[in-house]
Amino acid sequence: MQNSIARRVLGVLLAPLALAPFNHDQATPAADLVITHAKVWTADKAHPRAEAVAVLGDRIVAVGSNREIETWRGPHTRVVDAEGKLLLPGFNDAHVHFLNGGIELDSVQLTDATSQEEFARRIGERAQKTPRGEWILGGDWDETKWNPQEIPTKDVIDSLTPHTPVFVSRYDGHMVLANSLALRLAGITAQTPDPPGGVIVRDAQGNPTGALKDAAMDLAAKAIPPLSHDERRRAIERAMRHALSLGVTSVQNMDPDYADIAVYSELLERGELKVRIYAAPLITDVDDQVKIGIGHAFGGPFLRMGAVKAFADGSLGSRTAYFYGPYLDQPSARGLLSDEMHPISLMRERMMKADAAGLQICTHAIGDEAIATILDLYSEIAQAHGAADRRFRIEHAQHMAAKDFDRFAQLHVIASVQPYHAIDDGRFAEARIGHDRASRTYAFRTFLDHGVRLALGTDWDVAPLDPAETIYAAVTRATLDGKNPNGWFPEQKLTVEEAVEAYTMGSAYAEFQENEKGSIAPGKLADMVLLSQDIFRIPPESIRHTKVLKTFVGGKLVWESGAENR
Ligand SMILES: [Zn+2]
């Protein structure tokens, strides 16, 4: 007993100082956790495969054969027999909207409504259960699943929601439908002008239809009462449980509210933050982080900041992604630069400020001209401030101009991509932008061929948080409508190995944490996930049915299938 405590204390003291010299001789301290009989895929190029892992404190201390790891076993070591299942590094989702995801888990579900009638019926049912005066939010509707594919108007929900303000989002987050009550509370009338970077959709008489695009959404959003601290905490706790149940051990939280960071900080203080967070608040508030004086990846293993999130344009689905050429199905439009880009000098000034402070810049850019414009700005920054390890990111990087792959690589820009969007947008992208532009849509293979680093994520709550769906999407490119079973632009498919690598090491690199996590290797944080099937061996179309058996964060078992709560 005494001896074991002494060994444990010694191990904890030594762990951060001297991991390298540890090996399986008699001086080896007992591990806190040993996972044996696993098929370990490490994402560590030096030792890609193993059978067992030893963990001391929150770190991996040894990776090897069952026999090698056996020597780490002491009387108090917790032993997990993986029964031959696949053990991977924990997934690191490089682009989530964590609070929205948590709210979405508890809000009206509209994504799979197959008609406008169904959409309206679900909102009506929700209104019945909603206390008077409370808003109906979220929803993530998708009119492309309806026939006809029409953007809904407030007329279809007004009679069902006379006392309930409704502000339901399109699934891409670039459009909402507000009912009459919500418009009235927000003061939006026929006389309200379109804001820069936004559109109030109107009928033939000029009256708002309730559909609001991009910056116009903010006009109505201002009328929504703020979440209470408790509501926010509950949503984030829901999001964490969901993430861990899917093997997502780290998330990179795009444009969080500061109040979200306050919740993370409170959870961290109580030891209840179980998912590792890298938070990138909006670049519009860049002065705050500059004032504090923090740089990229400031913080500790569970909570870091030091990045800013910028918006260059909208989305393909809302026809607000900004292109050089027009939309084929709406020739008068070629998208919208975001309000942050009016004028572009405003964005330049904010980015220069962020970079001078050592903050990392992550910019949402989807259309080819939006991406090109951001690459121009990145290049100006690099020239003005000199060489540095800045890890510029473009979020989505969806529709590339052929000319831009080379400079994307030369500027060392990370492509932070969401494969699920590819199989989703692939249903309608060609009708909107034609074959040539579509051939460079989510061009994962072309990025890799040019030496561009990929970081994988989902954009949850815009797409499902499930890594099994993301990997399935990256390796099959089979569109959700079933029309491209062999892959939509199949030459852009990733292998399973490439997808997992980009989802672990790639995402870790994208947040400056490749030495801390992203692989199963001695010295790294012990974040691991045990899967129900070997995704490297099964037919690619079966990958999406993979379940998580166990999730470990910092060596602690934080989720287990079959065990309801942990
Ligand atoms: Zn996003």
Side-chain angles (χ1 to χ4, degrees), residues 95 97 254 309 364 396 459 462:
H95 186 125
H97 303 281
M254 296 294 130
K309 165 79 182 301
H364 164 121
H396 314 306
D459 206 6
V462 181

Side-chain angles (χ1 to χ4, degrees), residues 3 7 10 21-30 68 71-73:
N3 186 32
R7 289 198 307 183
L10 182 70
F22 273 46
N23 57 47
H24 52 285
D25 57 28
Q26 288 176 338
T28 300
E68 284 165 335
T71 61
W72 286 88
R73 195 160 157 169

Side-chain angles (χ1 to χ4, degrees), residues 76-87:
H76 302 289
T77 301
R78 172 175 202 169
V79 180
V80 171
D81 185 335
E83 298 175 346
K85 300 294 187 190
L86 182 65
L87 187 74

Side-chain angles (χ1 to χ4, degrees), residues 95-97 172 174 254-255 309 311 364 395-396 418 421 458-462:
H95 186 125
V96 299
H97 303 281
D172 65 357
H174 290 273
M254 296 294 130
D255 42 82
K309 165 79 182 301
F311 278 93
H364 164 121
E395 304 301 315
H396 314 306
Q418 301 78 34
H421 287 343
T458 59
D459 206 6
W460 187 53
D461 61 322
V462 181

Side-chain angles (χ1 to χ4, degrees), residues 101 117 145 149 169 176 182 254 256 264 268 346-347 405 432 434 462 466-467 538:
E117 294 68 42
K145 291 175 181 159
Q149 299 184 7
S169 316
V176 296
M254 296 294 130
Y264 297 145
L268 177 67
L346 175 65
M347 183 65 100
F405 286 103
R432 294 212 172 158
V462 181
D466 189 351
I538 58 177

Side-chain angles (χ1 to χ4, degrees), residues 287-295 298 357 359:
D287 286 343
D288 296 340
Q289 293 192 76
V290 170
K291 223 179 278 172
I292 305 168
I294 61 181
F298 169 85
L359 297 167

